[in-house]
Amino acid sequence: MLRRTVACALRLRAAETAASRLQTQMPRALRTSTQQGLPRISMHEYQQLRRKQQEFEAGAHGRFGTYQRIVPSTLVKRKAEAREPSLELVPEGIERPAYASTGTAEPVQSHSQIPVLTGEEIERMRVACVIARDALALGGSMVRPGVTTAAIDREVHGFIVSRGAYPSCLNYLGFPRSICTSVNNIIAHGIPDDACVLADGDCINIDVTVYKHGFHGDTSAMFVAGSIDAPGRRLLGTTQEALELAIQACGPQVPFSTIGTTIESFVAPLGLSVSQELTGHGVGRDFHQRPLIYHHTNDLPGVMEPGMAFTIEPIVSQGVAAGVLWPDGWTVATADGARSAQCEHTVVVTADGIDVLTA
Protein backbone atom coordinates (compact mmCIF):
# COMPACT_ATOMS: atom_id res chain seq x y z
CA MET A 1 0.00 0.00 0.00
CA LEU A 2 2.89 2.35 0.73
CA ARG A 3 4.22 1.80 -2.78
CA ARG A 4 0.81 2.76 -4.18
CA THR A 5 0.73 5.80 -1.91
CA VAL A 6 4.13 7.00 -3.08
CA ALA A 7 3.02 6.58 -6.70
CA CYS A 8 -0.09 8.62 -5.92
CA ALA A 9 2.06 11.32 -4.35
CA LEU A 10 4.28 11.58 -7.42
CA ARG A 11 1.26 11.97 -9.70
CA LEU A 12 -0.27 14.55 -7.39
CA ARG A 13 2.81 16.74 -7.65
CA ALA A 14 2.35 16.99 -11.40
CA ALA A 15 -1.26 18.10 -10.96
CA GLU A 16 -0.73 20.88 -8.41
CA THR A 17 -0.42 23.74 -10.87
CA ALA A 18 -3.49 22.68 -12.84
CA ALA A 19 -5.44 22.22 -9.61
CA SER A 20 -4.90 25.68 -8.13
CA ARG A 21 -8.60 26.14 -7.44
CA LEU A 22 -8.48 23.05 -5.19
CA GLN A 23 -5.57 24.32 -3.13
CA THR A 24 -6.29 23.50 0.47
CA GLN A 25 -3.42 22.36 2.66
CA MET A 26 -1.82 19.20 1.30
CA PRO A 27 -0.13 16.43 3.32
CA ARG A 28 3.50 17.16 4.13
CA ALA A 29 4.77 14.33 1.93
CA LEU A 30 3.15 16.03 -1.08
CA ARG A 31 4.24 19.62 -0.43
CA THR A 32 7.41 19.49 -2.49
CA SER A 33 8.45 21.26 -5.63
CA THR A 34 6.66 20.13 -8.82
CA GLN A 35 8.77 17.87 -10.99
CA GLN A 36 8.82 18.88 -14.63
CA GLY A 37 7.87 16.50 -17.41
CA LEU A 38 5.43 14.31 -15.46
CA PRO A 39 2.06 13.53 -17.09
CA ARG A 40 -0.90 15.71 -16.21
CA ILE A 41 -4.07 14.17 -14.76
CA SER A 42 -7.71 15.19 -14.73
CA MET A 43 -9.32 17.06 -11.84
CA HIS A 44 -11.48 14.02 -11.06
CA GLU A 45 -8.45 11.74 -10.86
CA TYR A 46 -6.60 14.33 -8.81
CA GLN A 47 -9.41 14.37 -6.26
CA GLN A 48 -9.53 10.58 -6.11
CA LEU A 49 -5.77 10.23 -5.61
CA ARG A 50 -5.71 12.93 -2.99
CA ARG A 51 -8.56 11.33 -1.03
CA LYS A 52 -6.73 7.98 -1.03
CA GLN A 53 -3.56 9.66 0.24
CA GLN A 54 -5.44 11.43 3.02
CA GLU A 55 -7.20 8.23 4.05
CA PHE A 56 -3.87 6.43 4.19
CA GLU A 57 -2.26 9.09 6.38
CA ALA A 58 -5.24 9.37 8.72
CA GLY A 59 -5.76 5.63 9.06
CA ALA A 60 -9.32 6.29 7.93
CA HIS A 61 -10.07 2.68 7.09
CA GLY A 62 -9.77 1.72 10.78
CA ARG A 63 -8.76 -1.84 9.98
CA PHE A 64 -5.96 -1.84 12.55
CA GLY A 65 -7.31 0.76 14.99
CA THR A 66 -7.08 4.51 15.38
CA TYR A 67 -3.64 6.10 14.90
CA GLN A 68 -1.70 8.36 12.58
CA ARG A 69 0.16 6.58 9.83
CA ILE A 70 3.69 7.86 9.38
CA VAL A 71 4.77 8.69 5.82
CA PRO A 72 8.06 10.00 4.38
CA SER A 73 8.59 13.77 4.60
CA THR A 74 10.20 13.63 1.18
CA LEU A 75 10.08 11.30 -1.80
CA VAL A 76 13.62 12.16 -2.85
CA LYS A 77 15.97 9.22 -2.43
CA ARG A 78 18.68 10.50 -0.15
CA LYS A 79 20.72 8.62 2.44
CA ALA A 80 22.80 10.56 4.95
CA GLU A 81 26.53 10.51 4.31
CA ALA A 82 28.85 9.02 6.90
CA ARG A 83 30.26 11.73 9.15
CA GLU A 84 32.63 11.36 12.07
CA PRO A 85 31.06 12.82 15.24
CA SER A 86 32.69 16.06 16.39
CA LEU A 87 34.39 16.39 19.77
CA GLU A 88 31.53 18.66 20.75
CA LEU A 89 29.09 15.85 20.09
CA VAL A 90 31.24 13.07 21.58
CA PRO A 91 33.85 14.54 23.95
CA GLU A 92 37.50 13.57 23.83
CA GLY A 93 38.31 10.72 26.15
CA ILE A 94 35.25 8.66 25.28
CA GLU A 95 36.28 5.42 23.61
CA ARG A 96 34.79 5.15 20.13
CA PRO A 97 34.17 2.00 18.07
CA ALA A 98 36.27 1.80 14.91
CA TYR A 99 33.35 2.71 12.62
CA ALA A 100 32.78 6.03 14.38
CA SER A 101 35.40 7.65 12.16
CA THR A 102 34.75 5.70 8.96
CA GLY A 103 31.01 5.05 8.87
CA THR A 104 31.67 1.44 7.90
CA ALA A 105 30.96 -1.79 9.75
CA GLU A 106 34.36 -3.45 9.82
CA PRO A 107 34.29 -6.38 12.29
CA VAL A 108 36.62 -6.20 15.28
CA GLN A 109 36.98 -9.97 15.43
CA SER A 110 36.56 -12.97 13.14
CA HIS A 111 32.99 -14.13 12.74
CA SER A 112 33.84 -17.63 11.59
CA GLN A 113 32.62 -18.84 14.98
CA ILE A 114 30.19 -17.52 17.56
CA PRO A 115 32.22 -15.60 20.18
CA VAL A 116 32.24 -17.01 23.71
CA LEU A 117 32.83 -14.43 26.43
CA THR A 118 34.85 -14.92 29.58
CA GLY A 119 33.46 -13.93 32.96
CA GLU A 120 35.52 -10.72 32.91
CA GLU A 121 34.27 -9.82 29.43
CA ILE A 122 30.67 -10.40 30.47
CA GLU A 123 31.06 -7.97 33.36
CA ARG A 124 32.57 -5.33 31.06
CA MET A 125 29.70 -5.84 28.67
CA ARG A 126 27.23 -5.58 31.54
CA VAL A 127 28.38 -2.00 32.15
CA ALA A 128 27.40 -1.02 28.59
CA CYS A 129 24.09 -2.85 28.94
CA VAL A 130 23.18 -1.07 32.18
CA ILE A 131 23.90 2.33 30.62
CA ALA A 132 21.74 1.34 27.63
CA ARG A 133 18.94 0.25 29.96
CA ASP A 134 19.03 3.53 31.89
CA ALA A 135 19.24 5.59 28.69
CA LEU A 136 16.19 3.74 27.34
CA ALA A 137 14.27 4.50 30.54
CA LEU A 138 15.14 8.19 30.17
CA GLY A 139 13.94 8.23 26.58
CA GLY A 140 10.74 6.46 27.54
CA SER A 141 10.03 8.99 30.28
CA MET A 142 9.95 11.74 27.65
CA VAL A 143 7.29 10.11 25.49
CA ARG A 144 4.12 12.21 25.47
CA PRO A 145 2.08 14.16 22.92
CA GLY A 146 3.90 17.19 21.51
CA VAL A 147 7.43 15.84 22.00
CA THR A 148 9.60 15.30 18.92
CA THR A 149 11.65 12.19 18.35
CA ALA A 150 14.69 14.43 17.81
CA ALA A 151 14.27 15.87 21.32
CA ILE A 152 14.31 12.34 22.73
CA ASP A 153 17.45 11.56 20.73
CA ARG A 154 19.25 14.66 22.06
CA GLU A 155 18.45 13.88 25.69
CA VAL A 156 19.42 10.23 25.40
CA HIS A 157 22.64 11.15 23.58
CA GLY A 158 23.57 13.58 26.35
CA PHE A 159 22.94 10.94 28.99
CA ILE A 160 25.07 8.32 27.24
CA VAL A 161 28.11 10.56 26.76
CA SER A 162 27.74 11.83 30.35
CA ARG A 163 28.41 8.23 31.40
CA GLY A 164 31.59 8.16 29.35
CA ALA A 165 30.03 5.90 26.71
CA TYR A 166 29.44 6.12 22.97
CA PRO A 167 25.97 5.84 21.36
CA SER A 168 26.56 2.87 19.07
CA CYS A 169 24.09 3.88 16.36
CA LEU A 170 25.89 7.17 15.64
CA ASN A 171 27.66 6.90 12.26
CA TYR A 172 27.17 3.13 12.11
CA LEU A 173 27.06 2.70 8.32
CA GLY A 174 26.41 6.44 8.29
CA PHE A 175 23.35 6.44 10.57
CA PRO A 176 22.91 10.13 11.46
CA ARG A 177 21.49 9.94 15.01
CA SER A 178 22.28 8.28 18.33
CA ILE A 179 19.15 6.15 18.71
CA CYS A 180 16.37 4.76 16.53
CA THR A 181 12.78 5.93 17.05
CA SER A 182 10.08 3.98 15.20
CA VAL A 183 6.50 5.26 15.48
CA ASN A 184 3.27 3.33 14.75
CA ASN A 185 3.64 1.72 11.30
CA ILE A 186 7.45 2.04 11.30
CA ILE A 187 8.98 -1.40 11.79
CA ALA A 188 12.54 -0.36 12.63
CA HIS A 189 15.42 2.09 12.15
CA GLY A 190 13.34 5.26 12.26
CA ILE A 191 15.57 8.35 12.24
CA PRO A 192 14.81 10.90 15.00
CA ASP A 193 13.46 14.09 13.43
CA ASP A 194 12.34 17.50 14.68
CA ALA A 195 9.44 17.20 12.23
CA CYS A 196 8.19 13.99 13.86
CA VAL A 197 5.92 15.23 16.66
CA LEU A 198 4.30 12.56 18.79
CA ALA A 199 0.50 12.67 18.94
CA ASP A 200 -1.93 11.20 21.44
CA GLY A 201 -2.20 7.46 20.85
CA ASP A 202 1.17 7.06 19.13
CA CYS A 203 3.23 4.02 20.07
CA ILE A 204 6.98 4.35 19.65
CA ASN A 205 9.88 1.94 19.81
CA ILE A 206 13.05 3.49 21.20
CA ASP A 207 16.15 1.45 20.36
CA VAL A 208 19.34 2.22 22.29
CA THR A 209 22.77 0.65 21.94
CA VAL A 210 25.76 1.78 23.99
CA TYR A 211 29.50 1.15 23.57
CA LYS A 212 31.65 1.10 26.71
CA HIS A 213 34.85 -0.72 27.72
CA GLY A 214 35.08 -2.25 24.24
CA PHE A 215 31.61 -3.83 24.28
CA HIS A 216 28.14 -2.98 23.00
CA GLY A 217 24.88 -3.33 24.93
CA ASP A 218 21.61 -3.26 22.95
CA THR A 219 18.00 -2.86 24.12
CA SER A 220 14.66 -1.44 23.01
CA ALA A 221 11.09 -1.11 24.27
CA MET A 222 7.68 0.28 23.34
CA PHE A 223 6.18 3.42 24.86
CA VAL A 224 2.85 5.18 24.38
CA ALA A 225 2.19 8.91 24.00
CA GLY A 226 -1.01 9.59 25.94
CA SER A 227 -3.59 6.82 25.64
CA ILE A 228 -3.75 4.07 23.04
CA ASP A 229 -6.67 2.12 21.62
CA ALA A 230 -7.43 -1.53 22.44
CA PRO A 231 -5.84 -3.03 19.28
CA GLY A 232 -2.66 -1.09 20.06
CA ARG A 233 -2.56 -2.29 23.67
CA ARG A 234 -3.01 -5.85 22.46
CA LEU A 235 -0.14 -5.51 19.98
CA LEU A 236 2.25 -4.07 22.57
CA GLY A 237 1.32 -6.59 25.25
CA THR A 238 1.71 -9.52 22.88
CA THR A 239 5.15 -8.35 21.72
CA GLN A 240 6.43 -7.95 25.28
CA GLU A 241 5.10 -11.37 26.27
CA ALA A 242 6.65 -12.97 23.18
CA LEU A 243 10.05 -11.60 24.21
CA GLU A 244 9.66 -12.89 27.76
CA LEU A 245 8.63 -16.35 26.58
CA ALA A 246 11.60 -16.53 24.22
CA ILE A 247 14.03 -15.57 26.98
CA GLN A 248 12.56 -18.23 29.27
CA ALA A 249 13.14 -20.85 26.58
CA CYS A 250 16.90 -20.14 26.39
CA GLY A 251 19.70 -22.04 28.10
CA PRO A 252 22.73 -24.27 27.51
CA GLN A 253 22.35 -26.73 24.62
CA VAL A 254 19.03 -25.21 23.56
CA PRO A 255 18.83 -24.89 19.75
CA PHE A 256 18.80 -21.29 18.50
CA SER A 257 15.74 -22.21 16.43
CA THR A 258 13.76 -22.61 19.66
CA ILE A 259 13.55 -18.82 19.94
CA GLY A 260 11.69 -18.44 16.65
CA THR A 261 9.44 -21.43 17.28
CA THR A 262 8.48 -20.08 20.71
CA ILE A 263 7.67 -16.60 19.42
CA GLU A 264 5.72 -17.52 16.30
CA SER A 265 3.72 -20.29 17.98
CA PHE A 266 2.56 -17.68 20.51
CA VAL A 267 1.96 -14.78 18.11
CA ALA A 268 0.42 -16.43 15.04
CA PRO A 269 -2.73 -17.86 16.73
CA LEU A 270 -3.55 -14.31 17.85
CA GLY A 271 -3.81 -13.16 14.23
CA LEU A 272 -0.55 -11.19 14.33
CA SER A 273 2.59 -11.71 12.24
CA VAL A 274 6.32 -11.85 12.98
CA SER A 275 8.89 -10.10 10.80
CA GLN A 276 11.14 -12.48 8.89
CA GLU A 277 13.22 -9.69 7.36
CA LEU A 278 14.92 -8.35 10.50
CA THR A 279 16.63 -10.54 13.07
CA GLY A 280 18.29 -10.56 16.43
CA HIS A 281 22.05 -10.93 16.43
CA GLY A 282 25.15 -11.66 18.40
CA VAL A 283 26.53 -8.62 20.20
CA GLY A 284 29.73 -7.92 22.08
CA ARG A 285 32.92 -6.43 20.73
CA ASP A 286 31.03 -5.92 17.47
CA PHE A 287 27.64 -4.24 17.23
CA HIS A 288 26.37 -7.06 15.01
CA GLN A 289 27.98 -10.49 14.91
CA ARG A 290 27.08 -14.16 14.95
CA PRO A 291 24.69 -15.79 15.68
CA LEU A 292 21.66 -14.64 13.72
CA ILE A 293 18.52 -14.94 15.82
CA TYR A 294 15.38 -15.61 13.79
CA HIS A 295 12.09 -14.77 15.50
CA HIS A 296 9.95 -16.94 13.23
CA THR A 297 9.82 -20.72 12.87
CA ASN A 298 13.09 -21.84 11.28
CA ASP A 299 15.65 -24.62 11.08
CA LEU A 300 18.73 -22.52 11.87
CA PRO A 301 21.51 -24.88 13.04
CA GLY A 302 23.46 -24.50 16.25
CA VAL A 303 22.89 -24.60 19.99
CA MET A 304 23.49 -22.12 22.79
CA GLU A 305 26.66 -22.42 24.84
CA PRO A 306 27.64 -20.62 28.07
CA GLY A 307 29.29 -17.28 27.28
CA MET A 308 27.39 -16.65 24.03
CA ALA A 309 25.74 -13.21 23.98
CA PHE A 310 22.99 -12.12 21.61
CA THR A 311 19.86 -10.03 21.30
CA ILE A 312 16.28 -11.27 21.17
CA GLU A 313 14.12 -8.58 19.55
CA PRO A 314 10.87 -9.83 17.99
CA ILE A 315 9.01 -7.49 15.65
CA VAL A 316 5.27 -8.13 15.63
CA SER A 317 2.80 -6.54 13.20
CA GLN A 318 -0.97 -6.22 13.12
CA GLY A 319 -0.94 -6.97 9.39
CA VAL A 320 1.56 -8.52 7.01
CA ALA A 321 5.14 -8.93 8.15
CA ALA A 322 6.65 -7.43 4.96
CA GLY A 323 8.45 -4.10 5.17
CA VAL A 324 9.14 -1.26 2.72
CA LEU A 325 12.37 0.75 2.82
CA TRP A 326 11.94 4.53 2.76
CA PRO A 327 13.93 6.88 0.51
CA ASP A 328 16.20 7.80 3.48
CA GLY A 329 17.79 4.35 3.17
CA TRP A 330 17.09 3.43 6.81
CA THR A 331 13.45 3.62 7.83
CA VAL A 332 11.46 0.42 7.30
CA ALA A 333 7.65 0.74 7.31
CA THR A 334 4.94 -1.93 7.16
CA ALA A 335 3.78 -2.52 3.61
CA ASP A 336 0.11 -2.27 4.55
CA GLY A 337 0.31 0.64 7.00
CA ALA A 338 -0.41 -1.55 10.05
CA ARG A 339 1.23 -0.82 13.37
CA SER A 340 4.35 -2.71 14.38
CA ALA A 341 5.96 -3.28 17.78
CA GLN A 342 9.36 -4.48 18.95
CA CYS A 343 10.91 -5.27 22.33
CA GLU A 344 14.54 -6.25 22.85
CA HIS A 345 17.03 -7.45 25.44
CA THR A 346 20.69 -8.43 25.31
CA VAL A 347 21.21 -11.80 26.97
CA VAL A 348 24.14 -14.09 27.71
CA VAL A 349 23.93 -17.84 28.18
CA THR A 350 25.13 -19.10 31.58
CA ALA A 351 25.94 -22.57 32.86
CA ASP A 352 22.43 -23.01 34.22
CA GLY A 353 20.25 -20.66 32.17
CA ILE A 354 20.25 -17.13 30.81
CA ASP A 355 21.32 -13.73 32.16
CA VAL A 356 19.44 -10.70 30.83
CA LEU A 357 22.14 -8.04 30.81
CA THR A 358 19.83 -5.14 29.91
CA ALA A 359 17.14 -5.98 32.51
Side-chain angles (χ1 to χ4, degrees):
M1 185 170 184
L2 183 56
R3 288 191 181 97
R4 294 200 299 270
T5 302
V6 171
C8 287
L10 287 170
R11 299 183 74 186
L12 280 169
R13 284 194 205 168
E16 279 205 334
T17 301
S20 59
R21 62 188 174 88
L22 297 175
Q23 290 300 302
T24 55
Q25 187 177 13
M26 299 188 71
R28 182 182 61 187
L30 306 183
R31 283 189 271 111
T32 55
S33 59
T34 302
Q35 291 186 346
Q36 300 299 319
L38 294 178
R40 302 177 73 84
I41 59 177
S42 69
M43 291 297 178
H44 176 69
E45 189 176 10
Y46 173 89
Q47 290 171 315
Q48 286 185 319
L49 290 172
R50 186 172 178 197
R51 183 168 57 253
K52 290 178 181 179
Q53 173 75 2
Q54 289 172 331
E55 287 177 348
F56 178 86
E57 293 188 16
H61 297 296
R63 177 184 172 194
F64 302 114
T66 304
Y67 58 98
Q68 65 166 341
R69 291 178 178 175
I70 310 302
V71 298
S73 60
T74 178
L75 300 175
V76 177
K77 188 174 182 180
R78 181 175 59 231
K79 188 172 183 178
E81 295 182 0
R83 180 177 300 178
E84 183 176 6
S86 67
L87 292 178
E88 182 179 1
L89 194 61
V90 180
E92 188 175 5
I94 292 179
E95 182 183 4
R96 303 180 178 205
Y99 61 78
S101 60
T102 64
T104 62
E106 294 292 332
V108 174
Q109 55 190 5
S110 170
H111 290 175
S112 59
Q113 295 182 333
I114 299 173
V116 175
L117 302 177
T118 66
E120 179 188 359
E121 289 174 325
I122 291 172
E123 292 311 308
R124 289 167 62 187
M125 186 169 169
R126 191 187 306 276
V127 174
C129 288
V130 168
I131 296 172
R133 177 201 67 192
D134 294 345
L136 177 63
L138 171 63
S141 72
M142 295 180 64
V143 174
R144 58 186 177 274
V147 173
T148 69
T149 54
I152 297 173
D153 174 75
R154 286 189 289 268
E155 287 296 319
V156 172
H157 174 92
F159 175 85
I160 293 171
V161 298
S162 75
R163 298 302 188 271
Y166 183 90
S168 301
C169 289
L170 188 59
N171 209 34
Y172 181 79
L173 294 174
F175 191 79
R177 297 290 184 265
S178 295
I179 63 174
C180 297
T181 52
S182 303
V183 180
N184 293 343
N185 55 299
I186 304 305
I187 293 176
H189 305 155
I191 301 174
D193 190 343
D194 281 313
C196 185
V197 183
L198 296 179
D200 184 59
D202 281 348
C203 60
I204 176 175
N205 174 270
I206 300 178
D207 193 339
V208 180
T209 309
V210 165
Y211 181 74
K212 176 81 172 178
H213 296 324
F215 287 87
H216 298 270
D218 191 359
T219 186
S220 81
M222 299 299 299
F223 302 93
V224 176
S227 59
I228 194 170
D229 61 5
R233 287 194 300 272
R234 178 172 177 266
L235 172 66
L236 271 57
T238 299
T239 306
Q240 180 62 44
E241 190 170 353
L243 171 62
E244 293 169 0
L245 291 171
I247 291 173
Q248 293 169 15
C250 293
Q253 300 306 308
V254 173
F256 286 112
S257 61
T258 300
I259 294 173
T261 302
T262 300
I263 292 171
E264 189 159 42
S265 64
F266 172 67
V267 169
L270 300 176
L272 302 171
S273 61
V274 181
S275 172
Q276 299 185 18
E277 299 172 337
L278 298 171
T279 72
H281 53 88
V283 62
R285 293 186 183 277
D286 286 309
F287 193 167
H288 297 95
Q289 57 188 39
R290 293 187 64 200
L292 286 178
I293 303 297
Y294 294 148
H295 302 112
H296 59 282
T297 302
N298 66 89
D299 57 0
L300 184 73
V303 298
M304 304 174 197
E305 302 284 356
M308 292 181 177
F310 49 88
T311 68
I312 304 176
E313 45 185 303
I315 297 172
V316 179
S317 174
Q318 294 176 303
V320 298
V324 176
L325 184 65
W326 276 13
D328 63 22
W330 282 104
T331 307
V332 182
T334 57
D336 57 4
R339 281 175 293 191
S340 177
Q342 180 180 31
C343 298
E344 174 186 12
H345 274 307
T346 292
V347 303
V348 63
V349 183
T350 65
D352 55 0
I354 202 83
D355 187 356
V356 184
L357 298 180
T358 47

